[in-house]
Amino acid sequence: MYHEQYVSGWTGPTGFYKSDMRAPMAPDESKTWDSIYLWGDPHYAAPQMSLAMQPSGFAHPPPERTYTLTLLAVPKDVTGAPAIGTTWMLPLNEQFTVTLPTYTTTNGLTGYQFAFSASAVTPEPAALALGLLLAAVGRRR
């Protein structure tokens, strides 16, 4: 992840980070991290590269959220990559991997860019109406 000092609440130095661990999210809160970049070192020679995401083994993701990964940018002159805007639903209990055509550079900000979102699940309108009805019936008793 790339963060700039004093932008979006980041107080650390500007640069790339392997993790972003701040305050826990509230149960009904949604959050998107949109500064995830992927690139290869100029000496990387394989035709493909991968971005893998996996839930922590000791802090499992809450099941009342959905988790998505969205491709925001593809490096100039790369062919064969998924379309910008492609979104993948991430599983709760296993690794998810996206394989892409290799892009090498010395400037990671020119690489692939992704957004990771953790979104609170909103109840379906019918389920919400049923819940309100049951709450009203429960009050009458």
Side-chain angles (χ1 to χ4, degrees):
M1 299 193 62
Y2 181 78
H3 289 296
E4 289 186 26
Q5 190 172 38
Y6 308 122
V7 175
S8 300
W10 185 257
T11 58
T14 296
F16 286 100
Y17 292 83
K18 289 184 177 184
S19 62
D20 181 351
M21 300 174 96
R22 296 190 239 182
M25 295 169 54
D28 61 343
E29 184 180 8
S30 296
K31 182 167 172 91
T32 297
W33 293 262
D34 61 0
S35 59
I36 301 169
Y37 291 88
L38 177 68
W39 73 97
D41 178 272
H43 301 290
Y44 186 77
Q48 295 182 319
M49 57 194 309
S50 299
L51 172 65
M53 301 182 88
Q54 181 172 340
S56 168
F58 59 88
H60 297 284
E64 51 282 330
R65 296 188 196 280
T66 58
Y67 303 92
T68 58
L69 183 68
T70 303
L71 181 60
L72 301 179
V74 173
K76 185 180 172 186
D77 300 327
V78 168
T79 58
I84 292 173
T86 299
T87 299
W88 299 271
M89 295 290 295
L90 278 63
L92 288 176
N93 299 314
E94 60 188 51
Q95 180 173 300
F96 174 81
T97 304
V98 176
T99 302
L100 304 159
T102 293
Y103 173 74
T104 61
T105 184
T106 57
N107 179 2
L109 293 175
T110 64
Y112 293 95
Q113 183 181 1
F114 294 89
F116 171 76
S117 297
S119 302
V121 176
T122 55
E124 293 292 325
L128 184 57
L130 178 61
L132 291 173
L133 177 64
L134 292 175
V137 169
R139 283 189 202 151
R140 289 187 178 179
R141 291 187 176 187

